[in-house]
C-alpha cells in the first residue's frame, strides 16, 4: 500500500510540474498578445494620422475624454499621503 501512495505522490508532482510549465507558457503568450496588439494599434494610429488627419484628431479627442472620465469616476486605489 505504501508503494501505491508513493506512485500517487509522484503522479501529483508530475501534474503540478506540468501545470507550472503551462502557466509560464500562458504568461508568455499573454505578453506576446499584448505586445502585438500594442504594435498594431500604433501602426494603425500612424496610418490614420497620415491618411485622414481630422479623423485621427477626433479619435484622439474621444480617447482623451474617455481616459479623463475613467480617472474621475474610478475609485481611488491607494491612500493620499500629504507630507
Amino acid at each position: 500500500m505504501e508503494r501505491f501512495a508513493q506512485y500517487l505522490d509522484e503522479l501529483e508532482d508530475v501534474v503540478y510540474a506540468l501545470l507550472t510549465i503551462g502557466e509560464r507558457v500562458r504568461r508568455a503568450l499573454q505578453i506576446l498578445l499584448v505586445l502585438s496588439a500594442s504594435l498594431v494599434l500604433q501602426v494603425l494610429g500612424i496610418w490614420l494620422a497620415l491618411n485622414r488627419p481630422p479623423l485621427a484628431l477626433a479619435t484622439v479627442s474621444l480617447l482623451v475624454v474617455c481616459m479623463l472620465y475613467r480617472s474621475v469616476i474610478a475609485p481611488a486605489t491607494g491612500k493620499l499621503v500629504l507630507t
Side-chain angles (χ1 to χ4, degrees):
M1 192 66 182
E2 180 68 27
R3 291 179 70 181
F4 182 67
Q6 288 177 350
Y7 286 136
L8 288 178
D9 185 46
E10 292 295 324
L11 181 63
E12 179 188 25
D13 291 343
V14 169
V15 168
Y16 282 115
L18 291 175
L19 290 176
T20 303
I21 292 170
E23 180 66 21
R24 288 181 187 171
V25 170
R26 185 191 67 82
R27 284 186 189 167
L29 289 175
Q30 186 178 16
I31 289 172
L32 183 65
L33 179 67
V34 168
L35 289 176
S36 63
S38 174
L39 182 65
V40 166
L41 285 175
Q42 290 177 23
V43 169
L44 287 176
I46 292 170
W47 177 81
L48 186 64
L50 291 175
N51 289 328
R52 301 187 192 270
L55 185 59
L57 183 61
T59 304
V60 168
S61 298
L62 284 173
L63 288 174
V64 168
V65 167
C66 289
M67 286 176 22
L68 286 173
Y69 178 76
R70 180 178 162 85
S71 68
V72 169
I73 299 301
T77 57
K79 295 180 181 178
L80 180 62
V81 178
L82 300 174
T83 57

